[in-house]
Structures are given as structure tokens and as C-alpha cells.
Amino acid sequence: ASAACTLARCGSWASARCGFLLAQAIHRASLTPVAGASWLCAIAQAGVALDAATDKPEAEESLASRVEEVLFDSIELIVSAEDGDGVRASTIAVARALWAVCVLEKTEERS
């Protein structure tokens, strides 16, 4: 996720096949909050829509529709965490998540 964030910043989302890497991450077990924040940041930096973020063919429509749900579910813990929750969120991950939500224009939906 961190590598995808760096590649997106350099304008290499498509050529580095970050969408394919995102699809693989979504297929696996749930993402950590920090990984979810990094993926959202990468998508926002690349200027890619959430429903078009994976490189999977049209047959994988269910995957494309799950991207937003999985990523936002993963960062929910990080944004709503309090000191005693046992979830130690880094300030950078929180900042990435909140910045990405604003850039992707999801603030109304995810307030």
C-alpha cells in the first residue's frame, strides 16, 4: 500500500499496475487501518475513481463495487479510535485517510 502511494505520487498508477495490486489486497483478508489509509491516499493521488481503481476485467464488477466498502471500513477504526481503544493510529495514517476522503469528495457520505 505504501509503495502504491509513492507510485501514484509519481504518476505511475497505471504503468505500475497498482490497480492489480489493490485487487489482490481486496481479495485477501481484511486490510489494516494503516493499509486502508495508504490505499485511499494512493487512489486519491492517482486521480482514479474508487469504482475504477482495480485493473480487474468487467467480470469482476463485484470487486469494483467492494473497493469503497472495504477501504472505508478499514479506516473507520483509525479515524474513530480513542486513546484507550487499543488501536494505535499513527498521525500520518489519519492525515492520509482524511485527506483522501476530502479529495475523493466522500465527506458528505462519510461524515
Side-chain angles (χ1 to χ4, degrees):
S2 294
C5 201
T6 301
L7 289 166
R9 188 176 310 125
C10 296
S12 300
W13 177 271
S15 62
R17 299 205 54 210
C18 292
F20 177 77
L21 297 174
L22 173 61
Q24 295 302 313
I26 298 292
H27 273 300
R28 294 191 178 148
S30 62
L31 295 173
T32 65
V34 173
S38 293
W39 276 115
L40 278 172
C41 182
I43 292 167
Q45 285 180 341
V48 178
L50 281 170
D51 58 351
T54 63
D55 287 347
K56 291 294 187 177
E58 294 302 320
E60 292 285 334
E61 265 185 46
S62 64
L63 177 67
S65 64
R66 287 185 37 226
V67 169
E68 182 174 348
E69 176 187 339
V70 170
L71 292 177
F72 280 106
D73 285 351
S74 71
I75 65 164
E76 209 167 278
L77 292 172
I78 201 171
V79 175
S80 65
E82 295 179 15
D83 289 337
D85 284 348
V87 177
R88 286 249 188 220
S90 74
T91 305
I92 293 172
V94 172
R96 280 184 181 148
L98 294 176
W99 176 81
V101 169
C102 291
V103 169
L104 294 169
E105 298 177 351
K106 298 292 183 179
T107 53
E108 295 295 321
E109 297 171 30
R110 302 290 177 169
S111 57

